[in-house]
């Protein structure tokens, strides 16, 4: 379990697969920038996803919880860890739209970044977001991630081709700039 100022992050289990969680994944406003939007989600598909991640030695799927761990607002994942290169991607979504814009993404990214570097001994973390997903990009940048590149015309979003921004954070940079933030 990872404890932040307001958030608790804990490994997600099948008991967390509620109607609310399934509805988030099928909500076009929530999944607008997520690759998961191409599938319809139900209790069986989401439970299978959570089970797969629980069983995986290289994935760490956390739920983000408010109110002392009582209120689930979204998920954040570290993985799959590349053990040869000591790297891993971070991805996240906040399903509860009333929780957007309150700094929870930044808090969750900071906690998982610490977990990746300190607990998993990783050397570098990565993330990617659609060019116009300003919230995601800003949240990663505020945790120390730097834009490292652009995949031009890489995805289709709302009928238009869009670039994907690649972000990265090395352990050395994190130690010297952001390690005391979380
Ligand atoms: C994108 C998302 C993770 C951002 O989470 P959040 O908790 O609202 O973000 P934060 O409150 O931590 O904001 C971080 C920064 O981004 C800015 N920001 C947040 N949403 C924004 C938006 N829609 N447009 C522009 N800036 C935005 C915030 O103002 C803040 O910057 P500041 O401190 O300089 O003001 C959340 O909206 C979400 O889960 N959306 C749906 C799924 C998704 O897009 N996931 C990411 C896939 S890459």
């Amino acid at each position: 379990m990872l404890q932040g100022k307001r958030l608790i992050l804990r490994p997600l289990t099948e008991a967390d697969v509620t109607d609310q969680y399934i509805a988030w994944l099928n909500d076009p406003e929530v999944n607008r920038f997520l690759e998961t939007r191409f599938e319809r989600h139900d209790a069986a598909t989401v439970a299978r996803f959570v089970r797969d991640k629980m069983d995986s030695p290289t994935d760490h799927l956390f739920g983000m919880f408010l109110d002392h761990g009582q209120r689930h607002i979204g998920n954040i994942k570290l993985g799959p860890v590349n053990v040869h290169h000591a790297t891993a991607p971070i991805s996240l979504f906040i399903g509860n739209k009333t929780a957007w814009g309150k700094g929870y993404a930044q808090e969750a990214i900071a906690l998982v970044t610490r977990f990746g570097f300190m607990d998993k001994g990783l050397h570098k973390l990565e993330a990617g977001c659609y060019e116009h997903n300003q919230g995601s990009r800003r949240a990663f940048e505020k945790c120390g991630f730097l834009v490292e590149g652009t995949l031009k015309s890489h995805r289709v979003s709302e009928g238009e081709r869009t670039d994907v921004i690649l972000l990265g954070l090395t352990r050395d940079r994190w130690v010297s700039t952001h390690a005391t933030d979380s």
Side-chain angles (χ1 to χ4, degrees):
M1 194 177 91
L2 309 178
Q3 175 79 58
K5 290 192 181 72
R6 298 169 297 170
L7 284 176
I8 287 176
L9 306 187
R10 65 163 171 77
L12 216 58
T13 71
E14 283 182 70
D16 298 309
V17 181
T18 58
D19 289 346
Q20 170 194 255
Y21 172 13
I22 298 159
W24 291 337
L25 295 172
N26 292 318
D27 179 337
E29 269 188 277
V30 175
N31 69 24
R32 190 172 159 217
F33 301 122
L34 302 177
E35 300 308 315
T36 55
R37 70 186 180 279
F38 299 113
E39 293 158 39
R40 185 84 196 157
H41 302 274
D42 59 31
T45 61
V46 181
R48 192 179 320 123
F49 172 81
V50 171
R51 220 170 25 242
D52 280 356
K53 300 306 159 206
M54 286 169 69
D55 292 344
S56 162
T58 55
D59 283 297
H60 304 278
L61 175 64
F62 296 96
M64 298 179 205
F65 293 87
L66 286 173
D67 302 340
H68 309 288
Q70 298 306 303
R71 189 151 65 96
H72 187 195
I73 61 162
N75 294 346
I76 184 162
K77 180 161 73 75
L78 177 84
V81 170
N82 184 319
V83 291
H84 306 292
H85 300 294
T87 61
I90 294 179
S91 54
L92 78 160
F93 78 90
I94 295 175
N96 182 327
K97 288 178 267 187
T98 65
W100 285 0
K102 295 182 176 162
Y104 294 128
Q106 192 185 331
E107 186 173 328
I109 293 165
L111 287 168
V112 168
T113 295
R114 170 172 293 281
F115 171 74
F117 288 137
M118 301 302 286
D119 294 75
K120 305 312 293 179
L122 297 177
H123 173 75
K124 185 175 179 190
L125 301 173
E126 320 148 40
C129 63
Y130 288 15
E131 186 193 17
H132 41 283
N133 192 348
Q134 287 300 319
S136 181
R137 176 177 170 164
R138 283 289 300 144
F140 279 103
E141 285 181 328
K142 292 196 83 173
C143 293
F145 284 69
L146 296 174
V147 172
E148 295 188 337
T150 302
L151 299 172
K152 300 300 286 180
S153 197
H154 197 64
R155 290 285 182 260
V156 174
S157 176
E158 290 156 357
E160 306 279 335
R161 297 217 65 93
T162 186
D163 296 350
V164 170
I165 308 296
L166 301 178
L167 299 112
L169 176 61
T170 60
R171 183 193 170 97
D172 288 351
R173 173 172 158 79
W174 177 74
V175 166
S176 61
T177 60
H178 284 76
T180 55
D181 290 356
S182 58

